[in-house]
Amino acid sequence: MKLSRREFVGRAGCLAAGLNLPPFALQARIQSYSQDYPDMLLNFLAQRLNAHAAKWDQERAAIRSASDIDARNRFVREKFLKMIHGLPQRTPLNSRVVRVQELNSYRIENVMFESRPGFWVTGNLYVPSSRGTFPGIISPCGHYPLARMQPAYQAVYLNLVKNGFVVLAYDPIGQGERRQYWDPRGAPSEITDPVYEHSMPGQVLLLMGQDLTHYRIWDGMRAIDYLLTRPEVDASRIGCAGHSGGGTMTMFISALDERVRCAVINEGGTSHRWPIEIQPGDRVGPSDVEQNLFPAAVYGIDRCDLHIAIAPRPLLALIEQYSPNFDSAAAHIRRRYQQLGAVDRFATAEANDPHAYTLKLRLATTDWFSRWFYQRPGPAVEPDLELQKPEALYSTPRGSIREARQGQTIFTLIARRGAELPPRREVPGNADELASFRSELKGRITTLLRLEPLKADQTRTVREIGVTPRKGYDVE
């Protein structure tokens, strides 16, 4: 039997250890701190987060009455608004109807509007052909490159319009016709994942004291503004329904904007985020930058708090498969609806299907809005639907705001914001001034990083794990 050099050395070491030979060639096995304290930083942060969570759980346990819930919801909205750095002033929508398709019992309008000056939002408006005013539904999209043009999403909108709802489906930043990355030839870049499309500007915005959540929520609120300009829409019956990342945005928009009178959060974060337990190799938290709110743990605002901020307005929470985490969150939310005397206004349903806006969840969505806006059940079966090719739904000539060079991009807005930041401070030339400047800067950085001095029991000694001899020196 042939042995490699590494196998030979390894077996010789085992033999020497077994024979209790002197360790002339054996380095004592000393474990690093990573063995005793795996994922030290994550575990430390988890402990801090969980301490905050336990504190807020005690405060939540004291909520007993409807007035307590109202006070808590006001607090949640106030802090949530602070976490997304407020909202801008409303500016003219400058809306456009680019194309109209008249179809059987409904029409599709390809539309555009400005959520802020020069920042265009592309979308489709589905309108019943019959006369009258109808409930209006906005639908934020999940993380599909096609966004509102995704076939399963089109099926949601068609289900609703065929049952008497006006639906505005709009593209998120970085998806559909609002892709941000294009190569010089006009084709989409290699960055095809919407999560990356969001993360690229989102991480920069966090460093600048802003956040992408702010932009995403504002797009949704302006979508409601657009609905309210339409004579076909009943302003007293506005709903919001989204799936996956769009479900999370439904939660955000509906919590803040009380014009939303009924909501459907589909696979969009109906769960508790805390407490958390770090296992080796874990990567904690959603990867999409706009779903991370800072400092939510300090304020004690969990995802369930945002669900409850919608109460007592009707809320349907959908999931692909029931799970202990979903069930626990749903029970938490249901208790608050019970305390408000509105237990019938909260419900859940599962798909028994993969993560998608599947048939069962589409029917549940239409049924929920039909129940609360029309006082009747929705359809038991889905009708035949005429899905459109993406090109038929475009609001821009070739399906790209960027290629059409129309208005602002998220990056031009970031650049404008960067130009407004305080000017860079010049480093003093005098030695005393320089020392004072460095001391001040160190203090500011320490405060911003929330650095705290180590306590006596946190002192760690150096461990020698091993020594590797090299020519003229050793590596310890």
Side-chain angles (χ1 to χ4, degrees):
M1 177 179 67
K2 291 183 178 180
L3 295 177
S4 69
R5 183 180 300 174
R6 179 172 296 180
E7 290 171 329
F8 174 79
V9 172
R11 293 193 179 194
C14 292
L15 178 62
L19 295 175
N20 199 27
L21 296 177
F24 61 91
L26 298 178
Q27 177 69 33
R29 284 191 170 274
I30 303 175
Q31 293 183 335
S32 71
Y33 279 115
S34 65
Q35 300 291 323
D36 298 335
Y37 308 98
D39 294 314
M40 284 186 284
L41 176 60
L42 287 179
N43 273 293
F44 171 75
L45 293 175
Q47 290 172 11
R48 295 286 296 271
L49 285 169
N50 292 343
H52 282 300
K55 168 184 173 291
W56 285 107
D57 281 344
Q58 290 178 352
E59 295 205 14
R60 289 190 192 93
I63 294 175
R64 293 283 187 271
S65 65
S67 61
D68 292 340
I69 297 173
D70 287 341
R72 172 69 181 170
N73 283 349
R74 286 194 299 272
F75 171 84
V76 167
R77 292 191 195 100
E78 174 194 342
K79 296 303 183 184
F80 185 24
L81 197 59
K82 184 176 181 179
M83 285 190 287
I84 64 168
H85 303 92
L87 295 170
Q89 292 183 342
R90 280 180 165 80
T91 52
L93 290 167
N94 296 326
S95 58
R96 303 177 186 175
V97 177
V98 177
R99 179 186 177 187
V100 179
Q101 297 182 69
E102 295 287 352
L103 299 163
N104 182 24
S105 77
Y106 64 96
R107 69 179 183 272
I108 303 176
E109 299 182 10
N110 301 0
V111 302
M112 302 171 62
F113 61 87
E114 294 181 352
S115 63
R116 59 187 77 211
F119 196 49
W120 288 96
V121 179
T122 46
N124 297 114
L125 189 73
Y126 294 74
V127 185
S129 296
S130 54
R131 292 188 175 185
T133 58
F134 309 93
I137 313 296
I138 66 163
S139 186
C141 295
H143 291 92
Y144 294 91
L146 282 176
R148 73 189 199 276
M149 298 170 281
Q150 180 75 12
Y153 287 0
Q154 288 190 51
V156 178
Y157 316 144
L158 293 173
N159 262 294
L160 288 166
V161 74
K162 285 176 172 288
N163 283 274
F165 297 92
V166 174
V167 183
L168 176 57
Y170 63 95
D171 288 330
I173 297 166
Q175 296 173 241
E177 293 183 86
R178 300 178 76 195
R179 294 282 303 280
Q180 301 294 302
Y181 291 91
W182 293 76
D183 71 20
R185 297 165 296 179
S189 75
E190 295 179 355
I191 301 175
T192 58
D193 187 339
V195 173
Y196 289 110
E197 282 265 10
H198 295 175
S199 292
M200 297 294 190
Q203 307 293 354
V204 176
L205 284 165
L206 289 175
L207 293 174
M208 297 173 66
Q210 288 193 316
D211 58 277
L212 191 66
T213 319
H214 163 100
Y215 288 85
R216 293 288 311 276
I217 290 174
W218 189 240
D219 281 352
M221 289 184 169
R222 298 316 311 271
I224 296 174
D225 290 344
Y226 176 73
L227 275 184
L228 298 181
T229 69
R230 299 293 305 224
E232 305 93 342
V233 173
D234 179 353
S236 67
R237 294 184 290 172
I238 299 296
C240 185
H243 164 256
S244 192
T248 304
M249 293 312 302
T250 295
M251 173 177 62
F252 290 166
I253 294 165
S254 302
L256 281 181
D257 196 329
E258 295 184 79
R259 294 177 299 177
V260 176
R261 304 308 303 163
C262 185
V264 177
I265 298 174
N266 184 354
E267 302 174 345
T270 305
S271 60
H272 290 102
R273 181 165 288 179
W274 308 301
I276 58 175
E277 180 181 349
I278 305 298
Q279 300 295 334
D282 277 358
R283 295 296 175 262
V284 180
S287 55
D288 200 329
V289 66
E290 80 248 20
Q291 296 180 9
N292 292 277
L293 302 174
F294 303 102
V298 173
Y299 295 140
I301 298 178
D302 202 346
R303 285 180 287 218
C304 285
D305 293 290
L306 295 172
H307 284 67
I308 295 163
I310 301 170
R313 291 168 284 161
L315 171 61
L316 174 65
L318 303 175
I319 194 67
E320 59 266 36
Q321 300 286 339
Y322 283 137
S323 67
N325 200 357
F326 180 91
D327 292 342
S328 172
H332 180 174
I333 299 162
R334 188 174 290 109
R335 281 195 300 273
R336 297 301 183 223
Y337 272 81
Q338 287 172 338
Q339 290 174 312
L340 290 169
V343 68
D344 60 326
R345 296 189 178 192
F346 176 72
T348 67
E350 69 168 339
N352 295 311
D353 249 331
H355 184 83
Y357 219 138
T358 47
L359 172 62
K360 184 176 180 180
L361 302 185
R362 296 197 295 265
L363 291 174
T365 298
T366 304
D367 180 75
W368 189 251
F369 286 129
S370 297
R371 173 183 175 185
W372 292 105
F373 286 149
Y374 282 120
Q375 291 72 54
R376 58 170 166 77
V381 296
E382 185 172 80
D384 292 334
L385 304 174
E386 186 178 353
L387 304 182
Q388 302 292 319
K389 293 182 178 179
E391 293 79 5
L393 300 174
Y394 285 168
S395 299
T396 56
R398 294 178 60 187
S400 166
I401 285 283
R402 182 71 183 271
E403 186 183 0
R405 300 185 183 277
Q406 214 158 2
Q408 305 288 335
T409 69
I410 187 65
F411 295 106
T412 60
L413 295 178
I414 288 173
R416 180 182 299 173
R417 168 64 177 164
E420 297 171 353
L421 292 175
R424 184 176 180 180
R425 180 172 176 178
E426 294 296 327
V427 177
N430 179 283
D432 291 338
E433 289 182 2
L434 182 59
S436 175
F437 171 75
R438 286 175 172 169
S439 176
E440 177 192 345
L441 190 63
K442 179 179 178 181
R444 289 169 60 189
I445 292 173
T446 301
T447 299
L448 288 170
L449 294 178
R450 297 180 173 86
L451 293 179
E452 299 174 1
L454 282 177
K455 298 176 182 178
D457 61 349
Q458 292 177 310
T459 302
R460 301 288 182 229
T461 58
V462 175
R463 290 182 179 180
E464 183 181 284
I465 308 303
V467 179
T468 302
R470 293 286 174 87
K471 190 173 182 179
Y473 63 95
D474 293 338
V475 178
E476 296 184 5

